[in-house]
Amino acid sequence: MPRQSVVVVLHDGDLPSEQAMAPVRERAREVRYASAEELPEALAGADVLFAYDFFSSAIPQAWHAADALRWIHVASTGVDAILSPEVRGSDVVLTNSRGVFDEAIAEYVLGQVVSIAKDLPRSWELQQAHRWVHRESERVAGSRVLVVGTGRIGRAIARLLRAVGMQVSGSGRRARTDDPDFGTVTAQEELHHALAAADWVVCIAPLTDATRGMFDAAAFRVMPDHARLINVGRGESVVTDDLVDALREGDIAGAVLDVLDTEPLPADHPLWDMPGVHITPHSSGDFVGWREELVRLFADNFARWVDEEPLLHVVDTSLGYVPTDGSRA
């Protein structure tokens, strides 16, 4: 007998399309849409929560009203906004949207690397000024890149950067020398040793107690002064004040920041105007159609839920991310 579920969709005013949600409505007993303020009332009696507003911090605050909740699906890869002590200590299954953003984020990283190495922003400025100025650029092939975070997105990044001739290595929980995508992976406790040999550092690590603030003054001091940091993981992995100091002191040459510990970045923040800094508004994975793809993934997982089949992309709440196997009944 299929489950008769009540589904709550947490939103910020931007609702998923009716067409994308149709497969869910067809198989759910009821679908409720709720803003952050409406969430406590909407959760009463509901067994499924779709966190379409994946930036929201409303779920921990409304947890007292979750009297029947059994499954939360988050429309993002990161789940740190959801993982309150109450959620971690509960039996509620948590799944994420692993896989949706892999290739798009990898393309973003490659695009930033090529743009910086070839100084494309300056070329555009010169064109706008109608100036013909000959310049030389850096080679991408042969440069060394350390990808910090060896999950699916990190692997997609590694494969794409390796394809253009970059020397790729990884930093993860466990050291190894035979990884199919990274070749050599350095254990996290040896991060500083790995940073010292990198021309480019890409952070795509999940936010955990071990990764929060991992890029601090000490980390920047060991990086070569020509190195660039690209953060497409979590803003809280970087100590922003230390990054500003490192850029001012010339400890590193630049940074690409798609995520920051404060979003939006305040208009008067020094990072906006620092040479070598490129800022984008948490959009590295946002390809045309990404919202529909997120809903489709939830709908596919909801069909599994209704039919009592194993769910995809189950988060280990003790780790804060999906382990290698990522499914469970």
Side-chain angles (χ1 to χ4, degrees):
M1 181 70 180
R3 286 177 171 136
Q4 299 295 307
S5 288
V6 175
V7 179
V8 174
V9 180
L10 173 62
H11 65 86
D12 61 356
D14 185 7
L15 302 178
S17 72
E18 288 292 313
Q19 181 179 2
M21 283 294 294
V24 177
R25 291 198 311 273
E26 290 170 1
R27 304 202 67 184
R29 179 158 61 91
E30 182 183 357
V31 176
R32 305 169 182 169
Y33 292 87
S35 64
E37 295 74 19
E38 298 164 338
L39 186 59
E41 181 178 356
L43 279 176
D47 59 323
V48 177
L49 173 59
F50 176 30
Y52 186 63
D53 178 11
F54 50 86
F55 286 120
S56 176
S57 59
I59 293 175
Q61 297 172 13
W63 193 252
H64 65 278
D67 55 358
L69 194 61
R70 298 176 60 192
W71 170 38
I72 301 172
H73 181 85
V74 184
S76 68
T77 304
V79 295
D80 42 282
I82 310 297
L83 283 179
S84 66
E86 292 79 11
V87 174
R88 287 181 184 270
S90 75
D91 294 327
V92 175
V93 179
L94 178 62
T95 58
N96 73 357
S97 299
R98 187 186 196 209
V100 171
F101 303 107
D102 298 6
E103 300 302 330
I105 293 177
E107 291 167 0
Y108 170 94
V109 170
L110 175 60
Q112 289 283 6
V113 168
V114 172
S115 177
I116 292 168
K118 302 306 174 185
D119 199 12
L120 298 184
R122 179 59 178 158
S123 296
W124 174 246
E125 292 172 0
L126 291 169
Q127 179 183 337
Q128 295 301 102
H130 298 187
R131 295 180 59 198
W132 183 281
V133 180
H134 182 268
R135 295 170 299 130
E136 296 179 344
S137 64
E138 301 174 30
R139 289 294 309 274
V140 171
S143 61
R144 303 162 298 176
V145 56
L146 175 69
V147 180
V148 182
T150 56
R152 284 184 50 155
I153 299 177
R155 291 183 178 281
I157 292 169
R159 290 192 294 269
L160 203 53
L161 298 186
R162 191 181 295 277
V164 298
M166 300 183 79
Q167 299 179 35
V168 180
S169 60
S171 173
R173 295 179 64 209
R174 179 176 58 84
R176 48 199 181 275
T177 58
D178 57 352
D179 189 275
D181 296 315
F182 300 101
T184 299
V185 175
T186 304
Q188 185 171 334
E189 54 267 26
E190 298 296 326
L191 174 62
H192 285 196
H193 177 75
L195 289 175
D199 304 309
W200 304 85
V201 178
V202 181
C203 179
I204 187 60
L207 185 63
T208 66
D209 290 343
T211 62
R212 189 182 301 274
M214 67 194 306
F215 288 98
D216 57 8
F220 295 128
R221 279 196 296 269
V222 299
M223 291 171 63
D225 58 11
H226 65 270
R228 282 93 166 199
L229 171 70
I230 301 176
N231 191 8
V232 286
R234 308 303 292 171
E236 295 87 344
S237 295
V238 176
V239 181
T240 302
D241 289 346
D242 289 359
L243 173 61
V244 170
D245 290 342
L247 290 163
R248 283 175 174 160
E249 296 298 323
D251 292 336
I252 63 172
V256 175
L257 306 170
D258 185 56
V259 292
L260 292 122
D261 55 3
T262 300
E263 296 181 2
L265 185 67
D268 60 351
H269 198 282
L271 280 171
W272 286 112
D273 300 311
M274 299 193 78
V277 175
H278 302 258
I279 297 170
T280 52
H282 206 139
S283 58
S284 61
D286 295 353
F287 57 92
V288 175
W290 66 279
R291 292 184 179 277
E292 290 77 11
E293 188 66 17
L294 288 173
V295 179
R296 185 201 62 76
L297 176 58
F298 170 65
D300 289 348
N301 234 4
F302 182 69
R304 288 173 169 267
W305 174 260
V306 170
D307 294 333
E308 302 190 42
E309 296 178 356
L311 295 175
L312 299 175
H313 314 316
V314 175
V315 174
D316 183 331
T317 56
S318 68
L319 298 174
Y321 53 88
V322 178
T324 303
D325 181 6
S327 63
R328 143 179 149 193

